[in-house]
Amino acid sequence: MQVMQLKTEITKASAEYELIDSGEEERLERFGAYVLARPDPQALWRKRRAPEAWEKADAWYERKGATGSWHMKKDVPRQWPIQFGGLTFLIRPTSFKHVGLFPEQLPNCEWIEKVISTRTSTERIPKVLNLFAYTGGATLIAAKAGAEVVHLDASKSAVDWARENAEWSGLGNSPVRWIVDDAVKFVTREVKRGNRYDAIIMDPPAFGHGPKDELWKIEEHFLGLLESCGKLLIDDPLFVLLNGYAAGYSSLVFKQNLEALIGLHKGSVSQGELTIEESSGNRLLPSGIYARYAR
């Protein structure tokens, strides 16, 4: 198995998304017609834009304890669609500062699409399991590329949001199973059922709860979940993608776990950082880590 070097993946500005500025633990972004300001602890440098640019934001997030709230100008809707990466996403500011789109995931989505699309014409339709799938970017790009997908998240509102994104993207009739469940419990049941998958996507949070208040801590549950996922993979898996944010780990952690999971399968493992480039220059905002295997 070939091991590739650390890589920095970059999401650049596009027609309906751009990172305008960042700094002093904040980021200023445009989603379609609206500019939003929200916290980001990775932006530990000085802002480049003048204060007036930040003051013109259409909405800004104020943290209050564990969560916070948005301050919206009166003409800003509760939600609005934007085109990004060949899909349509509903932007909806939430109390946890997220808006439903993670722009840094664009290189991962492009990689998923490429791997699925380049399979041979004689291969069957691949089955993909997407865990901690949230609003569905990876699910939709895999379905668009021709895969059958199991989309799982512990949050019913997140799964409903992902289904809305599928409808807006013209993928409402795609072969996707939408599941609200605890990832550990679901994978354990899938192993007992003898189900197998050609590919697995996993974006585990540092901390969370399942739909029945099951506790998730990455330091306690990640290794067991990953080992169970290994039992779900076919003998010659198409790909595996591990993605992470805010857990404090290096991409080396994901890479080395992925190597152990894949074992002696032929293919390559890559690892790196996901970043977003400011539209006003070449400064990069770190936004996550990943490790990938493709046969």
Side-chain angles (χ1 to χ4, degrees), residues 78-81 88-95 97-102 133-137 140 151 155-169 178 180:
R78 184 182 69 88
Q79 64 179 27
W80 63 95
T88 301
F89 292 89
L90 282 174
I91 303 301
R92 185 183 299 157
T94 72
S95 61
K97 84 174 181 178
H98 299 308
V99 299
L101 174 68
F102 295 85
Y134 200 48
T135 54
L140 299 185
H151 173 108
S155 167
K156 183 179 184 302
S157 61
V159 173
D160 289 344
W161 195 344
R163 297 185 75 160
E164 289 182 82
N165 287 336
E167 293 291 343
W168 278 88
S169 298
W178 306 99
V180 178

Side-chain angles (χ1 to χ4, degrees), residues 35-47:
V35 174
L36 278 57
R38 53 179 172 155
D40 193 314
Q42 292 288 339
L44 193 58
W45 46 72
R46 294 297 181 188
K47 297 172 181 175

Side-chain angles (χ1 to χ4, degrees), residues 215-253:
L215 182 63
W216 166 270
K217 289 185 178 180
I218 192 169
E219 67 273 18
E220 295 180 10
H221 301 110
F222 172 67
L223 296 181
L225 177 61
L226 195 61
E227 289 168 0
S228 295
C229 284
K231 299 174 183 177
L232 292 181
L233 287 169
I234 64 171
D235 293 336
D236 186 19
L238 182 60
F239 73 85
V240 180
L241 169 62
L242 304 180
N243 183 75
Y245 176 73
Y249 296 110
S250 162
S251 61
L252 277 169
V253 173

Side-chain angles (χ1 to χ4, degrees), residues 78-139:
R78 184 182 69 88
Q79 64 179 27
W80 63 95
I82 71 165
Q83 302 291 319
F84 185 78
L87 301 169
T88 301
F89 292 89
L90 282 174
I91 303 301
R92 185 183 299 157
T94 72
S95 61
F96 293 96
K97 84 174 181 178
H98 299 308
V99 299
L101 174 68
F102 295 85
E104 69 276 4
Q105 292 297 321
L106 181 61
N108 274 341
C109 287
E110 291 174 340
W111 178 83
I112 290 169
E113 184 172 28
K114 179 180 178 181
V115 173
I116 294 175
S117 298
T118 55
R119 71 188 192 282
T120 65
S121 58
T122 58
E123 289 184 276
R124 59 182 173 79
I125 295 173
K127 292 179 59 179
V128 177
L129 174 61
N130 187 9
L131 300 173
F132 311 100
Y134 200 48
T135 54
T139 291

